[in-house]
Amino acid sequence: QQQVKQSPQSLIVQKGGISIINCAYENTAFDYFPWYQQFPGKGPALLIAIRPDVSEKKEGRFTISFNKSAKQFSLHIMDSQPGDSATYFCAALRGSGNTGKLIFGQGTTLQVKP
Amino acid sequence: DTGVSQDPRHKITKRGQNVTFRCDPISEHNRLYWYRQTLGQGPEFLTYFQNEAQLEKSRLLSDRFSAERPKGSFSTLEIQRTEQGDSAMYLCASTPGQGARNTEAFFGQGTRLTVV
């Protein structure tokens, strides 16, 4: 059972454009939603995360938008740069009584063209 | 470097052989996780430790897999009688397990296993 669904699978954006990646979750007990960035041959690195008590979180060029009623959240990368080319994973975690076990989406491969 | 360290980075083994991977978490982190990532997919949870106690194992972790964290510091993941389907990236992560940032997981660079 895929508890976190991510789209699109791949994305091509021109330098300076906005990259948008979407995720949807099923389990309403999830209460922590991080995004990870992964370069080839490397482990995932935490990019930004949000909890459902806020609808948006911004860190630099990266913004998470969160819609609790729709059980959806998205990552926006503003002014996308070639160095942003990587695979992005959304994830979800159930906090209370938690194991800290992350449930990941399938990933989105982003290519930013110069 | 105070990040999560994994060794080896790459391992090629023949089918049927046993392999062991090591993970050194961030020193003050008391939770340690193992994930498996196959090509084109997100990481999938295998197991986790709170200090030296193994508290949860995924159904993905067959009887051929065993993990230990004997002193609550580093951990090992052993795969016995490897199969071609075991070929994957094995990722280790650690979290503080307590405090305001208790759920922030930091991943190592992974061990890429190829079973031939």
Side-chain angles (χ1 to χ4, degrees):
Chain A
Q1 180 184 9
Q2 185 63 45
Q3 296 190 59
V4 179
K5 294 183 179 180
Q6 184 172 344
S7 64
Q9 188 174 359
S10 62
L11 182 61
I12 299 174
V13 172
Q14 293 293 326
K15 178 182 175 181
I18 302 173
S19 304
I20 301 174
I21 305 170
N22 301 299
C23 281
Y25 63 97
E26 300 170 4
N27 190 340
T28 54
F30 289 146
D31 60 1
Y32 174 74
F33 301 90
W35 285 89
Y36 282 83
Q37 179 188 57
Q38 186 175 31
F39 293 103
K42 305 290 186 183
L46 179 63
L47 196 59
I48 186 172
I50 196 168
R51 296 192 184 273
D53 51 343
V54 296
S55 60
E56 186 175 282
K57 183 174 182 181
K58 183 176 181 180
E59 290 184 1
R61 296 185 294 110
F62 301 92
T63 299
I64 301 178
S65 296
F66 188 85
N67 185 330
K68 188 173 180 178
S69 61
K71 294 188 287 186
Q72 294 176 347
F73 58 110
S74 60
L75 176 69
H76 297 235
I77 305 174
M78 312 300 286
D79 187 26
S80 299
Q81 299 297 312
D84 296 330
S85 298
T87 301
Y88 292 81
F89 294 96
C90 62
L93 179 150
R94 183 172 62 86
S96 56
N98 83 85
T99 65
K101 175 176 68 177
L102 289 164
I103 309 298
F104 283 87
Q106 302 95 318
T108 296
T109 301
L110 171 65
Q111 182 184 358
V112 180
K113 291 193 168 183
Chain B
D1 188 341
T2 57
V4 177
S5 176
Q6 291 188 247
D7 183 70
R9 293 290 311 282
H10 303 273
K11 178 71 176 180
I12 300 174
T13 191
K14 291 184 178 180
R15 189 176 53 185
Q17 297 295 305
N18 299 344
V19 293
T20 300
F21 311 140
R22 176 179 169 125
C23 171
D24 288 89
I26 294 172
S27 59
E28 62 269 24
H29 287 184
N30 58 27
R31 287 190 174 181
L32 184 149
Y33 301 81
W34 286 98
Y35 289 82
R36 182 172 70 186
Q37 185 178 25
T38 53
L39 204 61
Q41 298 297 316
E44 295 176 292
F45 170 81
L46 292 178
T47 188
Y48 97 100
F49 294 83
Q50 171 92 24
N51 300 312
E52 67 276 10
Q54 187 174 18
L55 296 185
E56 184 174 341
K57 294 194 291 186
S58 163
R59 286 174 293 177
L60 294 175
L61 216 63
S62 76
D63 291 344
R64 297 184 297 105
F65 288 71
S66 63
E68 293 183 341
R69 193 182 183 198
K71 296 182 180 179
S73 56
F74 73 93
S75 175
T76 58
L77 177 68
E78 180 182 17
I79 308 175
Q80 296 182 329
R81 305 181 302 282
T82 52
E83 302 173 356
Q84 287 188 321
D86 296 332
S87 296
M89 174 81 87
Y90 290 85
L91 293 163
C92 176
S94 68
T95 70
Q98 58 189 358
R101 307 180 77 167
N102 64 323
T103 52
E104 286 192 13
F106 295 84
F107 283 82
Q109 301 219 54
T111 294
R112 166 81 57 196
L113 173 66
T114 302
V115 181
V116 298

